[in-house]
Amino acid sequence: MFGRSSVLAKGSLLRYFSSSSSSGVLKIGDVLRQTRTFSNDDVSQYSKLSHDVNPLHFDSESARAAGFEDRLVHGLLVASLFPWIISSHFPGAIYVSQSLHFRSPVYVGDEIVGVVKAISIKQSKKRYIAKLSTKCFKNGELLVLDGEAMAILPTLALQHDSRRS
C-alpha cells in the first residue's frame, strides 16, 4: 500500500512511503523510497564539492579502459539518497552511521531507486534510534548499492518536508 506519493522538484524525483498501516507512524518493516536520475550537472557539482576529480567520472575513454560502459556517477553521490530520504520524512533526524557495499556501477542517466527499510526501532528518552536497511536499485531491479544506517529520529511520525517539494 502506498500511503504517500509525491513528485518532487525535478521531474525525475519521486518519493513513496509504503506500510502495512496507514497510521503515518514509522514501524518495523516500513519502506521509504526515492527515485532519482543523476545528470552530468549532478556529477560535476558533486566533484566540485568533494574534490573527487577521478577521470572515471568525466572521461568516457578512461572509464571504458577501466572496464566500464561509460562515465560513472560517484558512489557517495548515489548513497546521498539515504540521508535525503530520512531527512525528508523526519526533519531534525541525526544520521549516525552508514555502511556501504558498492555492487554495480551507476552511469549518468541511470534511474536509481533508493530504498530505506526500518529494521529495528528503539526508544531512547524522547527520541528513537532506528536501524535501517539501505539499498539502491538501477532501473528498479539491479542492486547497485546496499548497507545499513543508524539514525536518531525526533519522532516516528512521518512528515513531509515542504522544503524538498
Side-chain angles (χ1 to χ4, degrees):
M1 168 180 151
F2 288 104
R4 205 181 273 202
S5 171
S6 62
V7 177
L8 298 180
K10 292 184 181 178
S12 62
L13 304 177
L14 300 172
R15 179 171 58 210
Y16 300 102
F17 163 64
S18 61
S19 173
S20 57
S21 76
S22 59
S23 67
V25 175
L26 184 70
K27 294 179 177 52
I28 294 172
D30 284 351
V31 175
L32 305 168
R33 290 181 177 86
Q34 187 93 11
T35 299
R36 177 153 186 183
T37 301
F38 292 97
S39 68
N40 286 318
D41 189 48
D42 294 328
V43 171
S44 177
Q45 287 186 33
Y46 182 82
S47 176
K48 288 176 187 173
L49 289 171
S50 67
H51 302 284
D52 181 347
V53 293
N54 187 325
L56 297 178
H57 303 296
F58 300 99
D59 181 44
S60 294
E61 282 186 35
S62 294
R64 287 187 191 106
F68 297 103
E69 293 175 18
D70 206 344
R71 296 172 300 115
L72 302 172
V73 174
H74 298 80
L76 291 178
L77 177 57
V78 176
S80 72
L81 283 171
F82 305 137
W84 183 18
I85 293 168
I86 294 165
S87 68
S88 66
H89 287 88
F90 304 100
I94 301 167
Y95 208 71
V96 178
S97 68
Q98 174 74 60
S99 66
L100 297 171
H101 304 279
F102 299 97
R103 306 293 183 184
S104 188
V106 173
Y107 303 106
V108 172
D110 284 345
E111 182 179 84
I112 303 299
V113 178
V115 178
V116 173
K117 181 177 181 178
I119 299 172
S120 70
I121 303 168
K122 296 178 184 173
Q123 188 167 4
S124 176
K125 299 182 184 177
K126 294 182 181 181
R127 296 181 179 195
Y128 300 88
I129 300 170
K131 182 176 183 182
L132 308 158
S133 165
T134 55
K135 296 182 181 189
C136 283
F137 297 91
K138 185 187 324 188
N139 302 321
E141 58 188 49
L142 176 65
L143 180 67
V144 296
L145 175 63
D146 66 346
E148 286 187 351
M150 294 287 284
I152 299 171
L153 309 177
T155 178
L156 294 179
L158 290 155
Q159 298 178 22
H160 172 69
D161 186 348
S162 61
R163 295 171 297 165
R164 300 196 188 264
S165 58

